[in-house]
Amino acid sequence: MPSIILPALAALALPAPQADDANLRVAAQRDAALDDDYAYAITEAITTELGPRLAGTAEEARARKWAVATLTKMGFSNVHDEPFPLRTWVRGTEKAMVVGANSQPLALTALGNSGATPEAGLEGEIVFFPTLDDLKEAPDGSLAGKIAFVSHAMTRTQDGSQYGYYGAVRRQGPAIAAAKGAAAILIRSVGTDSHRMPHAGSTVFPEGTAPIPAAALAIPDAEQLERLIGRGPVRVALTLTPRILGTQTSGNVIAEVPGRDPAAGIVVVACHLDSWDLGTGAIDDAAGCGIVAAAAKRIMDAGRPRRTIRILWAGSEEVGVFGGRAYFEAHKGDNHVLAAESDFGADRIWRLDTNFAPANKPLADRLAAALAPLGISAGREAARGGADVAALISAGVAGVDLQQDGTRYFDLHHTPDDTLDKVDPAQLRQNVAAWTAMLAIVADAPEPISATK
Amino acid sequence: MPSIILPALAALALPAPQADDANLRVAAQRDAALDDDYAYAITEAITTELGPRLAGTAEEARARKWAVATLTKMGFSNVHDEPFPLRTWVRGTEKAMVVGANSQPLALTALGNSGATPEAGLEGEIVFFPTLDDLKEAPDGSLAGKIAFVSHAMTRTQDGSQYGYYGAVRRQGPAIAAAKGAAAILIRSVGTDSHRMPHAGSTVFPEGTAPIPAAALAIPDAEQLERLIGRGPVRVALTLTPRILGTQTSGNVIAEVPGRDPAAGIVVVACHLDSWDLGTGAIDDAAGCGIVAAAAKRIMDAGRPRRTIRILWAGSEEVGVFGGRAYFEAHKGDNHVLAAESDFGADRIWRLDTNFAPANKPLADRLAAALAPLGISAGREAARGGADVAALISAGVAGVDLQQDGTRYFDLHHTPDDTLDKVDPAQLRQNVAAWTAMLAIVADAPEPISATK
């Protein structure tokens, strides 16, 4: 770089006259967070000490108790557990074998809400559907006594946007197969890896549809089954014995950084504490809980913000966003001015989306300017929030989405492989820095904050 | 490149007067093999139609039957199964739980020859040893009623050479722990991945040492256990119910390309057909069987070679090289002039090693020249063969090692993840090209071939 331009750069570095001090304070807090250890320590403790935390189980209850103790020790105010009842599904035995000349085991896992086979299993011929649309077109009754197999394949994207489209196989496929008389359904896992790790996740049987056994094959096993089908008819023996434990207790854990000005409203930052039962829920979503708590603590430690920051570590997200619903029902009357959630792993944030009203363009611009040095650009999508705050945002609360890089998220999502070793501490710190900057700005913004209509 | 050097390059490209035709023929066969489909087709069929092929089981027997049919159909001569008896170990239930305040499951698999726990399991305190040497130093009797845990960690290398050193944890650790009175032993998997895929593999209890339950933890689970141990004493409940099926039948499958000159001896090319039971044995070692058969077929299809090429698809390699031993005992009187084995995955060959006598330097030079265009250089180690031909080479037979890139081999080795999707067809073809060139040269070499003394 020619030294002649150095004076010009120095001039550019001079702070703008008005926003000067606030901007420098935000930048200093942001940059200090790049050395944050809290988020990793929380992620490590949740995954190590608590392990899997399936909604409605004793393990989730243990996690809530730990969460109340930990958030209290960190210095937050008003830390408490808000319990709610949950119809609780738990996994049983799960086993599948191709039978006949090519007999061999297949790796799979039951989908949440799956029905059970008899204890001794069931056996049926596989009927193959390359896509969910193909399954939809199967004639009524054509699957009687058979096992449907849908092998819709998603691929990696940075924004994870294929999950909506391909995830329909898991959400809707089992109910469609049940309506057509299938004895059971197998789907290719909704994931992007090539490991023998089935991806769990909930399915939905509407009122009046009796649940059938429904499971996700690991991706190599789905491909194996496709190759076998290419050679001729295939029969599979399937044993899945999940059961409903009845109504158990789940709950949301809440903690606050009280604001100076009660009339200025509440900024809620969320994650979910429950996890699927196969892994230890590191990227989904211990890391998110670490990120939001670490960022809120940085704001708290820097002095009281104008607005209250409320941390929501939700329960029962994985099994149907029951924590988010319970929070919304209990708190929709609270004066929420902004909601955000970290629930897309632990990899770096690359894009900022908001749903701000036009009057809040200066606020959006301040956020963009503060995040740009972290490699984050302003996006063009309207913020919708993570699942646990989506109801608030749908109801008109302003939202900020700090979009994480999801390129490898669906390699790990809902698998046994969602463990601490997958968390990159450097990327995790970048998340904390971005959340810290965002909170520093929105919690202290002098102007009102509102969503676009 | 300045055009002035082109005439010099053209001069270099002129074939040497003597070896001319033979060299061109070898190069043509080698380059044609870069389009080979046979190796992949064999690998695909073994992994898809046969699946896991544990030594001594009905699945290995089915594989041998398939192998005889397939090698016959490919046009080889003298295709047959050479059965031998095998004391057969099979896996049972396997389950481990940390008990107490941090209760959670751990992913593991029993080591081959592991003893069994009671059906209801056993529970013991973990005694942690960072390395095998630390276990060796534990006082006699100090492990009574306890579960030893050794967490020796190997890392990736291109030549896989860490397997010898770190593999000792698996081979020797259980017997050492048993001798010190341990109730059971857990080891960190001998592997280089970070997935919840335990690595199976055999251990050895010497005559007079009663087998104890012995299992390998997936690497993330070994790290989890280390973190928990860092917080205080840990107890684990362990259930492993493997059993000995008694003496069953294993066997070696043999096929030949008959040579023109019976006095010129036999070139044996080997792989093993058995696999561990968790995966479908794609890289270990269906690919090796595909490579040697595809290369031998190319030589056969090009016209009768001077020397007989014998294909050995060995049985029971994984559980103690029983196929290699049976072959050696049955055939040590045969006129073997050279032995080679493909049993290190499906990734590209990067180095050539031989154990040739000094008089065979011209032959080694011809091999190096033919392999160089494939990115293979001559190494400085003495060829030792794969496990199934090691006895022949130790007994004085010349050997060629076509060293495969093992960088990712121990990510997959002996895990459920050793499946077809891990095989890169382009790298597999490079293997076939190298083996084709090697066989074309050694099977037709006019000179005698002998090993260094």
Side-chain angles (χ1 to χ4, degrees):
Chain A
M1 188 185 288
S3 62
I4 193 161
I5 71 164
L6 282 176
L9 280 175
L12 279 175
L14 283 177
Q18 302 101 314
D20 179 9
D21 287 359
N23 289 355
L24 288 175
R25 265 200 311 275
V26 168
Q29 283 179 277
R30 177 196 67 207
D31 294 346
L34 289 171
D35 293 323
D36 181 78
D37 288 327
Y38 261 99
Y40 191 84
I42 292 169
T43 308
E44 195 265 1
I46 292 175
T47 54
T48 303
E49 297 177 22
L50 306 171
R53 309 171 295 285
L54 186 65
T57 65
E59 289 74 27
E60 196 201 26
R62 174 174 73 180
R64 283 203 307 286
K65 204 169 154 189
W66 177 94
V68 168
T70 299
L71 293 166
T72 302
K73 207 184 312 169
M74 286 177 77
F76 294 110
S77 300
N78 190 22
V79 182
H80 65 282
D81 178 3
E82 298 187 353
F84 55 86
L86 183 78
R87 182 175 170 274
T88 298
W89 175 97
V90 293
R91 194 176 304 287
T93 298
E94 27 202 37
K95 219 165 48 174
M97 282 287 291
V98 172
V99 297
N102 307 119
S103 64
Q104 54 187 286
L106 297 171
L108 50 53
T109 199
L111 299 179
N113 300 318
S114 167
T117 65
E119 284 290 328
L122 60 79
E123 188 185 308
E125 188 183 335
I126 296 288
V127 183
F128 174 55
F129 300 99
T131 72
L132 184 62
D133 284 339
D134 297 317
L135 173 65
K136 287 177 182 166
E137 286 167 19
D140 282 350
S142 64
L143 296 176
K146 301 192 170 157
I147 302 176
F149 165 45
V150 189
S151 194
H152 226 176
M154 77 184 279
T155 55
R156 291 188 183 93
T157 56
Q158 189 172 354
D159 66 1
S161 55
Q162 291 208 340
Y163 186 51
Y165 181 72
Y166 290 102
V169 171
R170 190 191 79 213
R171 295 186 299 268
Q172 303 167 22
I176 295 169
K180 292 176 190 292
I185 179 171
L186 305 179
I187 64 166
R188 179 186 170 112
S189 280
V190 179
T192 53
D193 60 300
S194 196
H195 296 294
R196 295 188 75 197
M197 296 276 170
H199 294 241
S202 284
T203 190
V204 179
F205 292 99
E207 205 58 38
T209 302
I212 58 172
L217 289 162
I219 289 162
D221 296 77
E223 293 176 349
Q224 179 85 331
L225 191 50
E226 283 193 51
R227 283 190 295 271
L228 286 167
I229 289 163
R231 284 159 156 90
V234 174
R235 294 181 69 81
V236 165
L238 179 68
T239 307
L240 297 175
T241 61
R243 63 204 167 97
I244 301 292
L245 286 187
T247 298
Q248 306 286 321
T249 300
S250 182
N252 294 320
V253 174
I254 307 271
E256 288 183 345
V257 179
R260 298 189 304 273
D261 177 359
I266 297 164
V267 173
V268 62
V269 292
C271 65
H272 64 86
L273 186 56
D274 68 306
S275 76
W276 274 104
D277 54 341
L278 301 176
T280 62
I283 66 155
D284 190 13
D285 183 28
C289 293
I291 291 164
V292 299
K297 179 168 166 57
R298 289 188 166 270
I299 303 302
M300 177 173 70
D301 292 349
R304 206 159 185 173
R306 179 174 173 234
R307 295 185 170 90
T308 293
I309 297 170
R310 181 180 291 169
I311 297 169
L312 166 61
W313 285 7
S316 299
E317 189 273 346
E318 294 294 5
V319 298
V321 199
F322 294 102
R325 286 189 211 177
Y327 179 83
F328 182 76
E329 288 307 320
H331 296 280
K332 62 190 167 194
D334 296 356
N335 182 18
H336 294 103
V337 296
L338 191 138
E341 179 160 8
S342 177
D343 181 22
F344 198 50
D347 283 349
R348 76 186 178 91
I349 293 167
W350 63 288
R351 205 181 72 197
L352 159 73
D353 290 316
T354 73
N355 68 347
F356 291 172
N360 280 130
K361 183 168 185 305
L363 180 63
D365 289 346
R366 297 210 298 284
L367 286 175
L371 296 176
L374 298 173
I376 300 166
S377 63
R380 295 175 189 194
E381 290 190 15
R384 294 179 301 169
D388 300 296
V389 300
L392 287 172
I393 293 175
S394 291
V397 174
V400 171
D401 286 351
L402 294 173
Q403 307 282 12
Q404 292 169 294
D405 188 335
T407 307
R408 65 182 185 131
Y409 185 71
F410 290 105
D411 288 4
L412 304 168
H413 182 247
H414 298 184
T415 73
D417 235 358
D418 181 5
T419 48
L420 180 65
D421 50 295
K422 311 309 183 303
V423 174
D424 172 356
Q427 294 195 66
L428 187 68
R429 287 192 288 261
Q430 188 259 19
N431 274 268
V432 180
W435 277 81
T436 300
M438 186 273 283
L439 280 182
I441 291 169
V442 301
D444 268 333
E447 65 265 61
I449 305 176
S450 55
T452 190
K453 296 300 170 209
Chain B
M1 189 185 285
S3 61
I4 194 164
I5 71 164
L6 282 177
L9 281 175
L12 280 174
L14 283 177
Q18 303 102 311
D20 178 8
D21 286 359
N23 289 353
L24 288 176
R25 264 200 312 275
V26 168
Q29 282 181 277
R30 176 196 67 206
D31 295 345
L34 289 171
D35 293 324
D36 181 79
D37 289 326
Y38 261 99
Y40 191 84
I42 292 169
T43 307
E44 195 264 1
I46 292 175
T47 55
T48 303
E49 297 176 21
L50 305 172
R53 308 171 296 284
L54 185 65
T57 64
E59 288 74 25
E60 195 201 23
R62 175 174 71 181
R64 283 203 306 286
K65 206 171 151 187
W66 177 93
V68 167
T70 299
L71 293 167
T72 302
K73 207 183 313 168
M74 286 176 78
F76 293 110
S77 300
N78 191 23
V79 182
H80 65 282
D81 179 3
E82 297 187 353
F84 56 85
L86 182 79
R87 182 174 171 274
T88 298
W89 175 98
V90 292
R91 193 176 306 288
T93 298
E94 29 202 35
K95 218 164 52 173
M97 282 287 292
V98 171
V99 297
N102 307 119
S103 64
Q104 55 187 285
L106 297 171
L108 50 53
T109 200
L111 300 179
N113 300 318
S114 167
T117 65
E119 284 290 328
L122 59 79
E123 189 185 308
E125 189 184 332
I126 295 289
V127 184
F128 174 55
F129 300 100
T131 72
L132 184 62
D133 285 338
D134 297 317
L135 173 65
K136 287 177 182 166
E137 285 167 20
D140 281 350
S142 64
L143 297 176
K146 300 192 170 157
I147 301 176
F149 166 45
V150 190
S151 194
H152 226 176
M154 78 185 281
T155 54
R156 289 188 185 92
T157 56
Q158 190 173 354
D159 67 1
S161 54
Q162 292 209 340
Y163 186 51
Y165 181 72
Y166 289 102
V169 171
R170 192 191 78 214
R171 293 185 300 267
Q172 302 167 23
I176 295 169
K180 293 177 190 291
I185 179 170
L186 304 179
I187 65 167
R188 178 187 171 112
S189 280
V190 179
T192 53
D193 59 300
S194 198
H195 296 294
R196 294 189 75 197
M197 296 276 171
H199 293 241
S202 284
T203 191
V204 179
F205 292 98
E207 205 57 39
T209 302
I212 59 173
L217 290 162
I219 290 163
D221 296 77
E223 293 175 349
Q224 180 85 332
L225 191 50
E226 283 193 51
R227 283 190 295 271
L228 287 167
I229 288 164
R231 284 161 158 89
V234 174
R235 294 182 68 81
V236 165
L238 180 68
T239 307
L240 297 176
T241 61
R243 65 204 165 97
I244 301 291
L245 284 188
T247 299
Q248 306 287 320
T249 300
S250 182
N252 293 320
V253 174
I254 307 271
E256 289 184 343
V257 180
R260 297 189 305 272
D261 177 359
I266 297 164
V267 173
V268 62
V269 293
C271 65
H272 65 86
L273 187 56
D274 68 305
S275 76
W276 274 104
D277 53 339
L278 302 175
T280 61
I283 65 154
D284 190 13
D285 182 28
C289 293
I291 290 164
V292 299
K297 180 171 165 54
R298 289 188 165 270
I299 303 302
M300 177 173 69
D301 291 349
R304 208 159 184 174
R306 179 174 172 233
R307 294 185 170 89
T308 292
I309 297 172
R310 181 180 289 169
I311 297 169
L312 166 61
W313 284 10
S316 299
E317 190 273 346
E318 294 295 5
V319 298
V321 199
F322 293 101
R325 286 189 210 175
Y327 179 83
F328 182 75
E329 288 308 318
H331 295 281
K332 61 189 167 196
D334 296 358
N335 182 19
H336 294 103
V337 297
L338 191 139
E341 181 160 6
S342 176
D343 181 21
F344 198 50
D347 282 348
R348 74 185 179 93
I349 294 168
W350 62 288
R351 205 180 73 198
L352 159 74
D353 290 315
T354 73
N355 69 346
F356 290 172
N360 280 129
K361 182 168 187 308
L363 180 63
D365 290 346
R366 295 208 300 284
L367 286 175
L371 296 175
L374 298 173
I376 300 167
S377 63
R380 296 175 188 192
E381 290 190 17
R384 295 178 301 169
D388 300 296
V389 299
L392 287 173
I393 293 175
S394 293
V397 174
V400 170
D401 286 352
L402 294 174
Q403 307 281 12
Q404 290 169 296
D405 188 334
T407 307
R408 66 181 185 132
Y409 185 71
F410 290 105
D411 288 4
L412 305 167
H413 182 247
H414 297 184
T415 72
D417 235 357
D418 180 5
T419 48
L420 180 65
D421 49 294
K422 311 310 183 302
V423 174
D424 172 356
Q427 294 196 66
L428 187 69
R429 286 192 289 261
Q430 188 259 17
N431 273 268
V432 179
W435 278 80
T436 300
M438 185 273 282
L439 280 182
I441 290 170
V442 301
D444 268 332
E447 66 263 60
I449 304 177
S450 56
T452 191
K453 298 295 170 213

